[in-house]
Amino acid sequence: MQYDLMVLTLSTVDSILKIEGRFPVEGGCTRRVLDCGLEPGGEGNLMIVFSRMGGRVLPVGPLGDDHYGAFLRQSYSEQGIDVSRLRTVRGYRSPVANCVVDEAGVHSFLSTITSCDFAGAPLFLEQFETCRALFLSGYYMTDRADPYCEISRLLALRAKERSAPLFFDPGPLAASILPDMLETVFSCATVIALNDEEAALLTGEHDPVLAGHILSERTDALLLVKAGSRGCYAVGRNVPGRRYPAFPVRTVDTMGAGDSFLGAFAYAWLQDWELETCVTFANASGAVKASKFGTGTKVPTFDEMLAILEQNGYTVPEICRKARRFTELRLHKPTDREQTEHGK
């Protein structure tokens, strides 16, 4: 395969403001802006992480015929992402997510969500044939009139036909996903990653462990329920439930942390690493992002991933250092006995 992962995307820009104080922000008040930035958003976070870890990612979709579209094309290219299947569509305006972050790292979005019927399903299916795996977002599954809804369904079914890994993120609109679409994607997915709030929307259960088990009865996929500083709970039909602890960091901004988690997990999974390594690697990626302000190019770098793993007692093979990509990995903390024997 020419690429590791295809991403169905409506490329989005994040316009970010960090404000003094904490939410809520009431009408009529004035808050000082502490920092600001313009970054690739949405699936761009996942794609940049995947590329930085060493993966070959192919985004397929439209780009706005505006300043933001040009900005996204250049930003992705600079991150080593193939932009040849991102088509600039005349008259199409780029979706923009206006992101406000307070000093506690809590964020809110004011977004323009637009679609673009620039190509039929055959184009997307053709491009998918060049990729080992697929990523789909629940953002495109809430409106049957949205062309991306049917395209998502056809891609999911094709992934199942090919036995190709399908990574699915229901996202914050999880409760609004069309029931038949959710059932289809759940039946085709290999890995489903969502946070505890999204899991609660789908199950009514606020405990991430219980929510994970409820969802696991609806799919053969591996369920990854992210719970921030409480770590991640993984469970599946053939995977006994287990909680993986989070990496301790000072939270600055949680925007993009979930995307960073899944981008790293998808990369690790496609390297055929053991599950413990995949989840630990993903937790490290989410933690690095949460410790930094911004999205897009502010997601974890190779050096930051190397640092957080080694600072927490994990050994990274020398071959990864030399290649500056994670070509092989087994995240295993030595036991006290092993440390003693090594000291001898």
Side-chain angles (χ1 to χ4, degrees):
M1 293 290 178
Q2 187 176 355
Y3 303 95
D4 297 308
L5 183 69
M6 173 177 156
V7 175
L8 178 67
T9 183
L10 289 172
S11 297
T12 301
V13 165
D14 281 349
S15 177
I16 312 167
L17 295 177
K18 183 173 183 178
I19 60 172
E20 66 178 352
R22 302 186 64 171
F23 287 117
V25 178
E26 298 181 358
C29 74
T30 299
R31 295 281 187 93
R32 186 163 58 98
V33 173
L34 303 176
D35 202 349
C36 61
L38 191 68
E39 292 285 352
E43 298 90 16
N45 299 307
L46 177 146
M47 294 191 296
I48 293 173
V49 168
F50 192 88
S51 179
R52 285 180 174 180
M53 297 306 104
R56 302 164 298 169
V57 61
L58 180 69
V60 182
L63 279 177
D65 182 21
D66 50 23
H67 167 74
Y68 292 138
F71 167 77
L72 287 167
R73 183 179 294 278
Q74 179 178 345
S75 297
Y76 288 152
S77 294
E78 290 174 351
Q79 296 299 318
I81 295 172
D82 187 339
V83 296
S84 62
R85 275 67 163 189
L86 291 176
R87 184 185 302 175
T88 299
V89 178
R90 188 173 183 179
Y92 175 58
R93 297 182 63 182
S94 300
V96 179
N98 297 284
C99 317
V100 183
V101 187
D102 72 7
E103 288 189 272
V106 179
H107 60 263
S108 290
F109 293 105
L110 301 169
S111 303
T112 59
I113 302 175
T114 60
S115 191
C116 180
D117 189 8
F118 80 103
L123 170 69
F124 295 90
L125 291 168
E126 177 184 350
Q127 298 305 322
F128 180 40
E129 297 305 307
T130 68
C131 304
R132 289 177 57 201
L134 174 69
F135 168 79
L136 293 176
S137 167
Y139 272 114
Y140 309 135
M141 301 178 185
T142 64
D143 182 1
R144 214 173 296 280
D146 182 346
Y148 264 34
C149 186
E150 177 64 8
I151 290 168
S152 295
R153 186 184 72 84
L154 293 173
L155 284 169
L157 292 172
R158 180 57 184 148
K160 186 173 184 178
E161 288 176 1
R162 283 181 45 194
S163 297
L166 166 56
F167 302 94
F168 175 49
D169 180 1
L173 300 183
S176 300
I177 295 175
L178 298 168
D180 60 316
M181 277 296 304
L182 193 64
E183 181 180 352
T184 295
V185 180
F186 266 45
S187 71
C188 299
T190 308
V191 176
I192 300 171
L194 68 176
N195 64 33
D196 50 350
E197 294 179 358
E198 294 157 359
L201 290 173
L202 292 177
T203 64
E205 177 55 64
H206 291 274
D207 183 301
V209 173
L210 295 178
H213 283 278
I214 292 170
L215 289 171
S216 71
E217 295 300 316
R218 299 170 57 181
T219 177
D220 290 330
L222 171 69
L223 265 298
L224 301 172
V225 185
K226 302 164 290 180
S229 62
R230 292 177 291 162
C232 170
Y233 188 73
V235 64
R237 287 282 174 86
N238 301 311
V239 178
R242 177 179 168 184
R243 188 188 294 275
Y244 295 85
F247 284 71
V249 295
R250 184 177 73 87
T251 300
V252 173
D253 176 11
T254 58
M255 285 194 307
D259 297 325
S260 297
F261 173 98
L262 186 50
F265 185 91
Y267 175 77
W269 183 271
L270 293 175
Q271 304 306 304
D272 293 323
W273 297 343
E274 60 185 20
L275 179 59
E276 180 174 0
T277 295
C278 292
V279 181
T280 302
F281 189 69
N283 275 343
S285 182
V288 169
K289 172 60 222 42
S291 70
K292 300 195 294 180
F293 170 71
T295 57
T297 61
K298 302 305 188 292
V299 300
T301 64
F302 174 86
D303 288 333
E304 289 169 336
M305 288 292 286
L306 188 66
I308 195 172
L309 291 171
E310 294 189 331
Q311 289 166 6
N312 284 273
Y314 294 100
T315 300
V316 176
E318 187 62 27
I319 189 174
C320 297
R321 296 170 177 276
K322 291 181 177 178
R324 294 196 57 77
R325 62 189 294 264
F326 292 99
T327 53
E328 61 181 58
L329 203 61
R330 181 174 184 270
L331 296 179
H332 164 66
K333 281 189 175 179
T335 63
D336 292 340
R337 178 180 176 182
E338 288 172 330
Q339 289 176 333
T340 301
E341 291 175 347
H342 180 72
K344 291 179 181 178

